[in-house]
Amino acid sequence: MNTTIRRISVGIVAAASVLGLAACGVSKAPAAGGGEAAELSDEPVSLRVMWWGGDARHERTQKVFDLFEEKHPNITIEPEFSDWNGYWEKLATATAGGNSADVMQMDQLYLASYADRGSLVDLGQYDQLKTDGLEPSVLDMGRWEDALYAMPISTTSTAAIVNMDVIDQVGVPLPDTSTWTWDEFGEWAAEVTEASGGAVYGTAQLGNEYQLQLVARQMEDALFEDGKIAIEPETLAAYFQLGLDWITSGATPSASYMAEQASLPIDQSDFAVGKSATVFTSSTLITAYAAASGAHLELVPIPTLDGDKTKYDYFKPGMYWSVSSKSEHPAEAALLIDFLVNDPEAGKIIGTERGIPANSDVIDALEADLTAEEKKTVAFAESRTSKLGEAPAIVPNGASDIQTILLRYQQEVNFERQTPIDAANALIAEIESSITAAG
């Protein structure tokens, strides 16, 4: 185990004498798709389709719908869209009233909650939807209790995005990023801050559920398992302690400064304006950061405990398509999803706006049209393939607020209002209570 995290974990065990919850291996369900035949109607069919996003997404999605309707003249698409926050309120209201759209865009944070309440259909029943173009561990993240309730649209991987211009200006060269450890990274990030006289910080903090999952998997642990929170308190405390150590060393700004910056858009973030040398985030965001900064950016793997030897990594679906259990036309809905995810012609229209396509054949079809940053994202994903482990359990019903809760306790630790182990135990208890209440 890496020195920093070993030291933190051993100290926490000695001080707290707490036994963690043992994390189990992920069991993989058989592949879905190619299920029982369901006949398509020859009569006119209308499908309501609901998604979140901005204007660029709406325009591209509508063009794909136009193409689909040309190929299937009896099917008419009725689009409904909104921004992220408005979307989930609208979807919850429609679901409660039994009036959900036939096809809906879904997120991993909410998938289990909608599947668990019987609001979605098992897509594995419909042979109109093919799944063999997706990497099995990616497809598995669309499952809940062995049924495929969501078809991954796109994938993302977590990376450290590095501003090479800033590093050149500061004069602190990168360590070997193919094998760097958390200790090496923390020391380097603190050196960047010191060498710049505080004008540039070495890094931003880790900060989301995906990144916590990766750190936990490096420690042979898991965030969720069998519909419950499964992470050991010591693992979670080590994650919190890592960020606190970076504040102490100067690798990151102070807790108060980071709290003030938390709600800023990408183009105003420290990394985008050249005040931070690295940021941990989705690899697909290199495009947005490059546009905002105009800098030379590169994608590198996040640090590990063992020099990147174990298969801890995984690709997370950027989003999914699901079908409502109230739909009167689930076979046609499955056919539409197949077109959206698997058709190369549709893929060229959608491009990478929803992320790197989950279907490898669609990526191949897009290759000639990819921007320089998108090519970096695809190349980075390919470089991580040998490090992919099994799919982790998705966020269970009752734990959809894990991201908000995680950031709240992380801030408590950063401000030293709670110790890492106290925050870890409190977070676990809060999530356990929420899952129990949802059940």
Side-chain angles (χ1 to χ4, degrees):
M1 184 181 291
N2 170 271
T3 304
T4 299
I5 295 185
R6 182 195 295 118
R7 169 176 52 78
I8 295 166
S9 297
V10 171
I12 287 166
V13 173
S17 300
V18 177
L19 290 176
L21 299 174
C24 306
V26 176
S27 59
K28 295 178 72 174
E36 297 180 2
E39 291 188 7
L40 298 171
S41 175
D42 293 327
E43 300 297 319
V45 169
S46 291
L47 293 176
R48 290 170 54 213
V49 183
M50 186 175 176
W51 71 92
W52 71 82
D55 291 342
R57 178 172 299 170
H58 306 333
E59 292 170 6
R60 294 188 187 204
T61 304
Q62 186 57 60
K63 288 180 181 178
V64 174
F65 290 162
D66 293 342
L67 181 61
F68 179 81
E69 289 174 342
E70 287 179 17
K71 295 176 181 289
H72 304 279
N74 70 310
I75 302 177
T76 301
I77 309 298
E78 299 176 6
E80 302 176 16
F81 50 83
S82 62
D83 62 16
W84 168 267
N85 293 323
Y87 178 85
W88 295 106
E89 181 179 351
K90 184 177 179 181
L91 181 59
T93 300
T95 301
N99 189 37
S100 296
D102 297 273
V103 178
M104 64 195 79
Q105 205 167 271
M106 182 56 61
D107 185 83
Q108 195 251 156
L109 288 173
Y110 300 97
L111 172 56
S113 64
Y114 278 88
D116 202 45
R117 72 181 73 166
S119 300
L120 308 176
V121 301
D122 177 6
L123 296 173
Q125 301 175 73
Y126 302 101
D127 60 0
Q128 287 82 11
L129 176 60
K130 304 297 186 289
T131 61
D132 53 0
L134 275 65
E135 205 276 332
S137 67
V138 172
L139 187 66
D140 281 350
M141 291 197 71
R143 300 186 193 282
W144 176 249
E145 296 184 346
D146 295 342
L148 185 70
Y149 288 110
M151 182 68 168
I153 298 171
S154 60
T155 63
T156 186
S157 49
T158 285
I161 305 182
V162 183
N163 188 324
M164 303 305 294
D165 293 341
V166 165
I167 289 173
D168 289 343
Q169 291 166 10
V170 173
V172 180
L174 278 171
D176 181 354
T177 59
S178 67
T179 59
W180 60 356
T181 64
W182 290 109
D183 276 345
E184 291 171 333
F185 174 80
E187 292 169 2
W188 170 82
E191 288 177 14
V192 169
T193 304
E194 184 177 3
S196 73
V200 174
Y201 285 93
T203 186
Q205 283 202 331
L206 297 166
N208 63 37
E209 166 261 337
Y210 188 4
Q211 293 162 10
L212 173 59
Q213 289 264 32
L214 293 173
V215 172
R217 285 160 69 94
Q218 290 181 6
M219 298 177 71
E220 299 182 353
D221 204 345
L223 182 53
F224 298 109
E225 203 65 65
D226 298 325
K228 299 177 182 178
I229 188 165
I231 193 168
E232 296 186 14
E234 296 79 16
T235 302
L236 183 53
Y239 174 89
F240 287 145
Q241 184 69 54
L242 195 60
L244 186 59
D245 284 348
W246 290 349
I247 294 173
T248 302
S249 71
T252 65
S254 67
S256 58
Y257 179 88
M258 288 190 291
E260 292 170 0
Q261 299 289 305
S263 61
L264 292 179
I266 279 179
D267 62 349
Q268 296 177 31
S269 67
D270 274 359
F271 185 74
V273 300
K275 293 183 180 179
S276 178
T278 56
V279 63
F280 295 101
T281 189
S282 165
S283 59
T284 56
L285 285 180
I286 190 174
T287 298
Y289 277 116
S293 67
H296 171 200
L297 308 181
E298 293 292 346
L299 294 168
V300 300
I302 68 171
T304 61
L305 305 175
D306 61 1
D308 206 15
K309 294 184 178 68
T310 59
K311 294 187 175 183
Y312 74 91
D313 212 346
Y314 70 98
F315 294 155
K316 180 180 178 180
M319 58 196 75
Y320 310 86
W321 289 116
S322 293
V323 174
S324 170
S325 59
K326 298 294 185 181
S327 175
E328 297 179 359
H329 306 287
E332 286 78 8
L335 181 69
L336 173 61
I337 293 175
D338 182 78
F339 185 75
L340 290 165
V341 175
N342 297 325
D343 187 273
E345 194 174 358
K348 285 185 177 181
I349 296 172
I350 296 170
T352 60
E353 198 283 326
R354 280 183 169 88
I356 300 301
N359 187 312
S360 57
D361 293 335
V362 175
I363 296 175
D364 292 341
L366 286 174
E367 185 174 5
D369 299 322
L370 295 176
T371 66
E373 285 74 28
E374 289 168 344
K375 288 177 181 178
K376 288 179 181 180
T377 303
V378 172
F380 179 76
E382 291 175 348
S383 75
R384 301 305 300 162
T385 302
S386 64
K387 304 297 181 181
L388 298 181
E390 292 186 340
I394 65 172
V395 175
N397 187 15
S400 297
D401 289 335
I402 179 61
Q403 180 60 40
T404 301
I405 294 169
L406 175 63
L407 290 177
R408 170 158 46 85
Y409 282 106
Q410 186 172 21
Q411 194 169 82
E412 289 293 296
V413 172
N414 287 347
F415 278 99
E416 299 188 73
R417 293 191 288 253
Q418 281 188 292
T419 65
I421 190 61
D422 287 345
N425 282 317
L427 182 150
I428 290 169
E430 184 171 340
I431 294 294
E432 282 178 343
S433 177
S434 183
I435 290 173
T436 298

